[in-house]
Amino acid sequence: YNLALDFGNTRVHWAITRDKGNLIRVDAEYDALTNSNDRELVKILRPILESLIGKDIKIVLVFCSVKDRLTTRKILDSTQEFFRRMFPSVAIEECEVHSRAVMRLAGLEQKYTEDTLGVDRALRFSFAAEKAREFGVPVAVLGAGTALTCETVSPQGEILESLILPGFQMSLKALHSFTSKLPEVSWKPQRLDGGKLWDTERSMMRGVAFSETGALLSVIFSHGVKHLFLSGGNAENLIDLLRPLLSQAQLCPEIHVVEGLETKRLLELVPLLFTPPVPRISQDFHHSEQLDVVVKSMSGARRKNREFRDREGSLEDFRRLGVRIEGVSVGARFDRYLAEKFKFHSREEWRNRILAREVCVQANSSRLPIEKPDSVAWVKNTYRVKNLDQIWLYMPQEHEPDMIDRCDVIADDGDVVVFSKPGNLVIHAVGQYSRNTFLTIASRMGYADAAPIHRIDRETSGILVCARSTANRRVVADAFRDGLMEKMYIAVTRSNPKLPPLFRVDTPIGDAVNSLIRLKLWIGGGNAMSARTHFVRLSDTGGYSLYACFPQTGRTNQIRIHLASVGAWIVGDKMYHQDETVFLEFYEKGLTERVVREALFPRHMLHNSAIRGPGSLPSLLSDAPVICVIPDDIMAFKPMRELLKAAEIPEDANAQVEFLRGLIEKYGSHDFENVPSIESPEGVLEGA
């Protein structure tokens, strides 16, 4: 059974479909769901529970969050606990619906640029688009709830109108709040008629009514709307107001009322959003042991779902956050301190985690782990941090990828070592990775003194330069920092055939704005820094393209961002996929079938293939380019063989080394000032 939960502004709307397709709906106040005992909850949810009695059931909680996420989490947790008490053998799974996925299915994603579009409105847009195509005329959907919204779509799939107004009761509350002489009243449609006594309440009612209906009449008239669908608690009131006005204006759209439109639409889209696809690993890949290792290492869920913590909860899943606080004269508020010190969460997110008891403080702490629960306090957002406070953060044990056996050594002169790093291997212990890292493998291979000098992403394969002495480490690190190293990466993308053979991207890179992924970077954005990458398109075939990439600056994720920004995202790149929910699912659940289907490859297909330094560096890095051949897991991707053939790149390792060496020698120092500069997919035509 798919049980849909739509978290509105004041209520949770529930819906479940019976075997014969009948929809059962229940609305419940937030307080009733969080503060009621089982007897009261049974009364609230009785229609839904009756349809499940006497059956072995699996429930998928399909939900979209409009209310704050902490409230959403509490309701979901209490719902699961309640259903497990009612049905001890029940299996429960969660599936969150995001607005982008809904808009993408409706074919409207590129026509709505506001990333903060709510899921409820996305569902109404999706419904309007389907009905407009069905009837072949413009369709408007009115959401008459706390706010009044109107989503209008043409039969060609164009968004014609998108407006938001205060709902009836919201408008009346606003009038009362901002004008002291106006009374606080509730919506009373019967007071809309004229009369001998024009009191203030009647005037407020008529003002709100004409404001709402006037805006909607303008939409109907302007866009030639022929079908009008209404949903929400005030739908019937709105119809009573609209019918006489539509008649007087000689506008005759057909009016429909759809109860629970959002939850019903949510259930209709479940098969499209969550039907497990057939894995493509067996269809589009040659056999490769290296690919098998990568897939295995990425398949586990990254982290458990967080639990709502209480004072009696176990502290085993808490880890020290930073060092104990010292040198504090006047302590900052706890939430402000966390937001300024640990920027991977916003201040609001830190507040939510504090409320959820996922952050605690150990006063007068030592460097020892937590031993006694009574030494730890759950504090409020307003707590003032003090000297010797140690902060602890809820971080349950997470899945850690299986160990990759070894890293091949490309070159070693005793001072500098160049490794071929496999894909999906982190360099240092960080986040969920504490044991299975490059440093662990290098130490086991006898290179414990070899320190990595430059960054390379976990999923990126290829050249990793390490130094064994402090002096060499400093010299080589300075060359990387000053941009003196020539680097060449090989990337496979979903092709944009309008891109020229040679081009450059000079767009600055900063913090992504309104992204679902908090740590994501993007072109422009906040705190943007200059970035430049040179590109050579080597071949195109079957919807894929092969590029040689020459980064001139060293910004994080630079090549991935620059290619995605011009419409050529790297195959396997979850973070810069057009649908951000692909990355979110990968982060929560690992390499699921949906992630493989959408991303096309287990990891992003970016390989650090060649590097060459200036004459001031050790001869191993300066005499000739150091080359790393394309690894087996990328070679196992069938389209890659066709791309190599089209680019006349040999598959034989020795011959490939010579080809790649010639490529970096030809283009590594090529003058790209006179090639097209591409800034966005829209700018591709100009660049070409």
Side-chain angles (χ1 to χ4, degrees), residues 278-308:
V278 178
R280 301 188 62 173
I281 292 292
S282 60
Q283 300 176 11
D284 289 347
F285 295 84
H286 298 283
H287 175 70
S288 165
E289 292 183 2
Q290 190 178 94
L291 179 61
D292 291 342
V293 171
V294 170
V295 171
K296 184 179 179 183
S297 71
M298 302 178 78
S299 295
R302 288 176 57 92
R303 68 177 179 86
K304 300 176 183 177
N305 289 330
R306 290 181 184 149
E307 303 170 1
F308 190 74

mmCIF file of all heavy atoms in Angstrom, residues 278-308:
data_model
loop_
_atom_site.group_PDB
_atom_site.id
_atom_site.type_symbol
_atom_site.label_atom_id
_atom_site.label_comp_id
_atom_site.label_asym_id
_atom_site.label_seq_id
_atom_site.Cartn_x
_atom_site.Cartn_y
_atom_site.Cartn_z
ATOM 1 N N VAL A 278 15.187 -1.532 -14.182
ATOM 2 C CA VAL A 278 16.079 -2.667 -14.410
ATOM 3 C C VAL A 278 17.517 -2.161 -14.374
ATOM 4 O O VAL A 278 17.863 -1.202 -15.066
ATOM 5 C CB VAL A 278 15.782 -3.308 -15.779
ATOM 6 C CG1 VAL A 278 16.741 -4.452 -16.047
ATOM 7 C CG2 VAL A 278 14.337 -3.791 -15.826
ATOM 8 N N PRO A 279 18.390 -2.743 -13.571
ATOM 9 C CA PRO A 279 19.779 -2.265 -13.506
ATOM 10 C C PRO A 279 20.441 -2.333 -14.872
ATOM 11 O O PRO A 279 20.261 -3.299 -15.619
ATOM 12 C CB PRO A 279 20.433 -3.241 -12.515
ATOM 13 C CG PRO A 279 19.310 -3.848 -11.765
ATOM 14 C CD PRO A 279 18.148 -3.870 -12.691
ATOM 15 N N ARG A 280 21.228 -1.324 -15.188
ATOM 16 C CA ARG A 280 21.885 -1.271 -16.487
ATOM 17 C C ARG A 280 23.295 -1.846 -16.452
ATOM 18 O O ARG A 280 23.964 -1.905 -17.462
ATOM 19 C CB ARG A 280 21.917 0.171 -16.984
ATOM 20 C CG ARG A 280 20.535 0.776 -17.121
ATOM 21 C CD ARG A 280 20.576 2.122 -17.796
ATOM 22 N NE ARG A 280 21.105 2.020 -19.147
ATOM 23 C CZ ARG A 280 21.126 3.039 -19.998
ATOM 24 N NH1 ARG A 280 20.654 4.196 -19.643
ATOM 25 N NH2 ARG A 280 21.633 2.893 -21.200
ATOM 26 N N ILE A 281 23.752 -2.250 -15.278
ATOM 27 C CA ILE A 281 25.108 -2.766 -15.165
ATOM 28 C C ILE A 281 25.325 -3.935 -16.108
ATOM 29 O O ILE A 281 26.323 -4.012 -16.803
ATOM 30 C CB ILE A 281 25.392 -3.211 -13.711
ATOM 31 C CG1 ILE A 281 25.425 -1.999 -12.783
ATOM 32 C CG2 ILE A 281 26.692 -3.971 -13.588
ATOM 33 C CD1 ILE A 281 26.594 -1.079 -13.008
ATOM 34 N N SER A 282 24.368 -4.867 -16.143
ATOM 35 C CA SER A 282 24.551 -6.071 -16.952
ATOM 36 C C SER A 282 24.352 -5.808 -18.438
ATOM 37 O O SER A 282 24.754 -6.617 -19.264
ATOM 38 C CB SER A 282 23.573 -7.152 -16.492
ATOM 39 O OG SER A 282 22.239 -6.702 -16.639
ATOM 40 N N GLN A 283 23.730 -4.684 -18.804
ATOM 41 C CA GLN A 283 23.400 -4.435 -20.200
ATOM 42 C C GLN A 283 24.432 -3.560 -20.917
ATOM 43 O O GLN A 283 24.735 -3.786 -22.079
ATOM 44 C CB GLN A 283 22.024 -3.755 -20.290
ATOM 45 C CG GLN A 283 20.896 -4.589 -19.702
ATOM 46 C CD GLN A 283 19.585 -3.840 -19.713
ATOM 47 O OE1 GLN A 283 19.463 -2.792 -20.326
ATOM 48 N NE2 GLN A 283 18.590 -4.372 -19.020
ATOM 49 N N ASP A 284 24.964 -2.565 -20.236
ATOM 50 C CA ASP A 284 25.808 -1.581 -20.911
ATOM 51 C C ASP A 284 27.282 -1.675 -20.521
ATOM 52 O O ASP A 284 28.053 -0.782 -20.814
ATOM 53 C CB ASP A 284 25.313 -0.164 -20.593
ATOM 54 C CG ASP A 284 23.988 0.122 -21.277
ATOM 55 O OD1 ASP A 284 23.602 -0.656 -22.159
ATOM 56 O OD2 ASP A 284 23.339 1.113 -20.925
ATOM 57 N N PHE A 285 27.671 -2.769 -19.856
ATOM 58 C CA PHE A 285 29.040 -2.871 -19.382
ATOM 59 C C PHE A 285 29.648 -4.215 -19.753
ATOM 60 O O PHE A 285 28.996 -5.256 -19.700
ATOM 61 C CB PHE A 285 29.095 -2.710 -17.848
ATOM 62 C CG PHE A 285 28.670 -1.362 -17.366
ATOM 63 C CD1 PHE A 285 27.338 -1.060 -17.171
ATOM 64 C CD2 PHE A 285 29.603 -0.369 -17.125
ATOM 65 C CE1 PHE A 285 26.938 0.187 -16.744
ATOM 66 C CE2 PHE A 285 29.209 0.889 -16.694
ATOM 67 C CZ PHE A 285 27.882 1.161 -16.508
ATOM 68 N N HIS A 286 30.920 -4.182 -20.150
ATOM 69 C CA HIS A 286 31.702 -5.407 -20.246
ATOM 70 C C HIS A 286 32.077 -5.829 -18.832
ATOM 71 O O HIS A 286 32.068 -5.030 -17.898
ATOM 72 C CB HIS A 286 32.973 -5.172 -21.078
ATOM 73 C CG HIS A 286 32.691 -4.771 -22.496
ATOM 74 N ND1 HIS A 286 32.288 -5.666 -23.461
ATOM 75 C CD2 HIS A 286 32.766 -3.558 -23.112
ATOM 76 C CE1 HIS A 286 32.125 -5.032 -24.612
ATOM 77 N NE2 HIS A 286 32.407 -3.750 -24.422
ATOM 78 N N HIS A 287 32.445 -7.093 -18.675
ATOM 79 C CA HIS A 287 32.860 -7.548 -17.350
ATOM 80 C C HIS A 287 34.186 -6.907 -16.968
ATOM 81 O O HIS A 287 35.112 -6.810 -17.771
ATOM 82 C CB HIS A 287 33.010 -9.073 -17.327
ATOM 83 C CG HIS A 287 33.551 -9.573 -16.018
ATOM 84 N ND1 HIS A 287 32.802 -9.538 -14.867
ATOM 85 C CD2 HIS A 287 34.777 -10.068 -15.684
ATOM 86 C CE1 HIS A 287 33.532 -10.022 -13.871
ATOM 87 N NE2 HIS A 287 34.728 -10.350 -14.333
ATOM 88 N N SER A 288 34.266 -6.436 -15.735
ATOM 89 C CA SER A 288 35.500 -5.832 -15.221
ATOM 90 C C SER A 288 35.541 -6.042 -13.717
ATOM 91 O O SER A 288 34.620 -5.646 -13.004
ATOM 92 C CB SER A 288 35.557 -4.336 -15.540
ATOM 93 O OG SER A 288 36.548 -3.692 -14.766
ATOM 94 N N GLU A 289 36.598 -6.696 -13.224
ATOM 95 C CA GLU A 289 36.736 -6.886 -11.781
ATOM 96 C C GLU A 289 36.839 -5.545 -11.066
ATOM 97 O O GLU A 289 36.309 -5.368 -9.958
ATOM 98 C CB GLU A 289 37.967 -7.745 -11.479
ATOM 99 C CG GLU A 289 37.822 -9.201 -11.947
ATOM 100 C CD GLU A 289 39.023 -10.030 -11.560
ATOM 101 O OE1 GLU A 289 39.942 -9.478 -10.904
ATOM 102 O OE2 GLU A 289 39.062 -11.224 -11.916
ATOM 103 N N GLN A 290 37.514 -4.570 -11.689
ATOM 104 C CA GLN A 290 37.652 -3.252 -11.067
ATOM 105 C C GLN A 290 36.294 -2.574 -10.951
ATOM 106 O O GLN A 290 35.988 -1.942 -9.933
ATOM 107 C CB GLN A 290 38.611 -2.394 -11.883
ATOM 108 C CG GLN A 290 39.011 -1.093 -11.205
ATOM 109 C CD GLN A 290 40.011 -0.315 -12.041
ATOM 110 O OE1 GLN A 290 39.633 0.542 -12.814
ATOM 111 N NE2 GLN A 290 41.285 -0.635 -11.876
ATOM 112 N N LEU A 291 35.449 -2.728 -11.972
ATOM 113 C CA LEU A 291 34.100 -2.160 -11.918
ATOM 114 C C LEU A 291 33.285 -2.835 -10.831
ATOM 115 O O LEU A 291 32.529 -2.180 -10.104
ATOM 116 C CB LEU A 291 33.408 -2.305 -13.271
ATOM 117 C CG LEU A 291 31.968 -1.777 -13.358
ATOM 118 C CD1 LEU A 291 31.923 -0.290 -13.074
ATOM 119 C CD2 LEU A 291 31.362 -2.088 -14.715
ATOM 120 N N ASP A 292 33.446 -4.157 -10.689
ATOM 121 C CA ASP A 292 32.727 -4.877 -9.639
ATOM 122 C C ASP A 292 33.082 -4.320 -8.260
ATOM 123 O O ASP A 292 32.213 -4.175 -7.390
ATOM 124 C CB ASP A 292 33.052 -6.373 -9.691
ATOM 125 C CG ASP A 292 32.466 -7.049 -10.928
ATOM 126 O OD1 ASP A 292 31.558 -6.466 -11.547
ATOM 127 O OD2 ASP A 292 32.932 -8.154 -11.271
ATOM 128 N N VAL A 293 34.369 -4.017 -8.047
ATOM 129 C CA VAL A 293 34.810 -3.486 -6.758
ATOM 130 C C VAL A 293 34.198 -2.109 -6.522
ATOM 131 O O VAL A 293 33.724 -1.802 -5.419
ATOM 132 C CB VAL A 293 36.353 -3.406 -6.702
ATOM 133 C CG1 VAL A 293 36.807 -2.656 -5.453
ATOM 134 C CG2 VAL A 293 36.955 -4.803 -6.712
ATOM 135 N N VAL A 294 34.191 -1.269 -7.556
ATOM 136 C CA VAL A 294 33.620 0.073 -7.421
ATOM 137 C C VAL A 294 32.134 -0.012 -7.100
ATOM 138 O O VAL A 294 31.631 0.668 -6.200
ATOM 139 C CB VAL A 294 33.857 0.898 -8.708
ATOM 140 C CG1 VAL A 294 33.065 2.195 -8.661
ATOM 141 C CG2 VAL A 294 35.337 1.190 -8.895
ATOM 142 N N VAL A 295 31.405 -0.849 -7.825
ATOM 143 C CA VAL A 295 29.963 -0.988 -7.598
ATOM 144 C C VAL A 295 29.700 -1.488 -6.184
ATOM 145 O O VAL A 295 28.838 -0.958 -5.465
ATOM 146 C CB VAL A 295 29.340 -1.953 -8.631
ATOM 147 C CG1 VAL A 295 27.897 -2.269 -8.265
ATOM 148 C CG2 VAL A 295 29.415 -1.346 -10.025
ATOM 149 N N LYS A 296 30.457 -2.499 -5.740
ATOM 150 C CA LYS A 296 30.263 -3.041 -4.394
ATOM 151 C C LYS A 296 30.538 -1.990 -3.331
ATOM 152 O O LYS A 296 29.822 -1.883 -2.336
ATOM 153 C CB LYS A 296 31.181 -4.245 -4.188
ATOM 154 C CG LYS A 296 30.991 -4.934 -2.843
ATOM 155 C CD LYS A 296 31.913 -6.128 -2.711
ATOM 156 C CE LYS A 296 31.731 -6.794 -1.351
ATOM 157 N NZ LYS A 296 32.664 -7.932 -1.170
ATOM 158 N N SER A 297 31.560 -1.187 -3.548
ATOM 159 C CA SER A 297 31.941 -0.194 -2.543
ATOM 160 C C SER A 297 30.969 0.967 -2.458
ATOM 161 O O SER A 297 30.990 1.736 -1.502
ATOM 162 C CB SER A 297 33.347 0.342 -2.831
ATOM 163 O OG SER A 297 33.355 1.165 -3.984
ATOM 164 N N MET A 298 30.097 1.128 -3.472
ATOM 165 C CA MET A 298 29.178 2.260 -3.494
ATOM 166 C C MET A 298 27.730 1.849 -3.252
ATOM 167 O O MET A 298 26.838 2.695 -3.255
ATOM 168 C CB MET A 298 29.269 2.991 -4.842
ATOM 169 C CG MET A 298 30.651 3.502 -5.171
ATOM 170 S SD MET A 298 30.738 4.312 -6.778
ATOM 171 C CE MET A 298 30.033 5.897 -6.417
ATOM 172 N N SER A 299 27.478 0.566 -3.018
ATOM 173 C CA SER A 299 26.103 0.087 -3.001
ATOM 174 C C SER A 299 25.419 0.226 -1.654
ATOM 175 O O SER A 299 24.203 0.218 -1.583
ATOM 176 C CB SER A 299 26.056 -1.380 -3.448
ATOM 177 O OG SER A 299 26.459 -1.476 -4.804
ATOM 178 N N GLY A 300 26.157 0.317 -0.564
ATOM 179 C CA GLY A 300 25.537 0.387 0.753
ATOM 180 C C GLY A 300 25.003 1.762 1.066
ATOM 181 O O GLY A 300 25.459 2.771 0.529
ATOM 182 N N ALA A 301 24.020 1.803 1.937
ATOM 183 C CA ALA A 301 23.490 3.094 2.380
ATOM 184 C C ALA A 301 24.565 3.858 3.134
ATOM 185 O O ALA A 301 25.327 3.292 3.901
ATOM 186 C CB ALA A 301 22.267 2.877 3.262
ATOM 187 N N ARG A 302 24.634 5.145 2.914
ATOM 188 C CA ARG A 302 25.672 5.957 3.539
ATOM 189 C C ARG A 302 25.412 6.178 5.022
ATOM 190 O O ARG A 302 26.320 6.285 5.812
ATOM 191 C CB ARG A 302 25.776 7.321 2.838
ATOM 192 C CG ARG A 302 26.391 7.238 1.470
ATOM 193 C CD ARG A 302 26.369 8.604 0.810
ATOM 194 N NE ARG A 302 27.052 9.605 1.615
ATOM 195 C CZ ARG A 302 28.325 9.919 1.491
ATOM 196 N NH1 ARG A 302 29.079 9.266 0.639
ATOM 197 N NH2 ARG A 302 28.857 10.865 2.241
ATOM 198 N N ARG A 303 24.158 6.313 5.406
ATOM 199 C CA ARG A 303 23.903 6.565 6.824
ATOM 200 C C ARG A 303 22.520 6.062 7.199
ATOM 201 O O ARG A 303 21.643 5.904 6.362
ATOM 202 C CB ARG A 303 24.006 8.060 7.149
ATOM 203 C CG ARG A 303 22.909 8.924 6.529
ATOM 204 C CD ARG A 303 23.091 10.357 6.994
ATOM 205 N NE ARG A 303 22.106 11.235 6.438
ATOM 206 C CZ ARG A 303 20.904 11.435 6.958
ATOM 207 N NH1 ARG A 303 20.540 10.791 8.027
ATOM 208 N NH2 ARG A 303 20.057 12.275 6.401
ATOM 209 N N LYS A 304 22.356 5.782 8.453
ATOM 210 C CA LYS A 304 21.048 5.381 8.950
ATOM 211 C C LYS A 304 20.137 6.604 9.016
ATOM 212 O O LYS A 304 20.591 7.736 9.111
ATOM 213 C CB LYS A 304 21.180 4.791 10.360
ATOM 214 C CG LYS A 304 22.079 3.573 10.443
ATOM 215 C CD LYS A 304 22.210 3.156 11.895
ATOM 216 C CE LYS A 304 23.160 1.983 12.044
ATOM 217 N NZ LYS A 304 23.344 1.607 13.460
ATOM 218 N N ASN A 305 18.826 6.351 8.983
ATOM 219 C CA ASN A 305 17.899 7.447 9.247
ATOM 220 C C ASN A 305 18.080 7.919 10.677
ATOM 221 O O ASN A 305 18.235 7.131 11.599
ATOM 222 C CB ASN A 305 16.448 6.986 9.048
ATOM 223 C CG ASN A 305 16.142 6.758 7.594
ATOM 224 O OD1 ASN A 305 16.721 7.401 6.730
ATOM 225 N ND2 ASN A 305 15.251 5.824 7.322
ATOM 226 N N ARG A 306 18.078 9.227 10.905
ATOM 227 C CA ARG A 306 18.227 9.759 12.258
ATOM 228 C C ARG A 306 17.006 9.421 13.092
ATOM 229 O O ARG A 306 15.883 9.413 12.611
ATOM 230 C CB ARG A 306 18.386 11.284 12.201
ATOM 231 C CG ARG A 306 19.705 11.706 11.606
ATOM 232 C CD ARG A 306 19.780 13.224 11.614
ATOM 233 N NE ARG A 306 20.997 13.643 10.952
ATOM 234 C CZ ARG A 306 21.113 14.768 10.277
ATOM 235 N NH1 ARG A 306 20.098 15.576 10.179
ATOM 236 N NH2 ARG A 306 22.242 15.083 9.701
ATOM 237 N N GLU A 307 17.248 9.176 14.332
ATOM 238 C CA GLU A 307 16.156 8.961 15.261
ATOM 239 C C GLU A 307 15.954 10.235 16.063
ATOM 240 O O GLU A 307 16.871 11.009 16.260
ATOM 241 C CB GLU A 307 16.492 7.808 16.209
ATOM 242 C CG GLU A 307 16.812 6.500 15.493
ATOM 243 C CD GLU A 307 17.382 5.474 16.458
ATOM 244 O OE1 GLU A 307 17.494 5.801 17.653
ATOM 245 O OE2 GLU A 307 17.708 4.371 16.011
ATOM 246 N N PHE A 308 14.724 10.411 16.528
ATOM 247 C CA PHE A 308 14.484 11.555 17.404
ATOM 248 C C PHE A 308 15.030 11.215 18.782
ATOM 249 O O PHE A 308 14.595 10.268 19.429
ATOM 250 C CB PHE A 308 12.983 11.850 17.487
ATOM 251 C CG PHE A 308 12.683 13.142 18.176
ATOM 252 C CD1 PHE A 308 12.920 14.338 17.528
ATOM 253 C CD2 PHE A 308 12.206 13.163 19.468
ATOM 254 C CE1 PHE A 308 12.650 15.545 18.150
ATOM 255 C CE2 PHE A 308 11.938 14.361 20.106
ATOM 256 C CZ PHE A 308 12.161 15.557 19.432
#
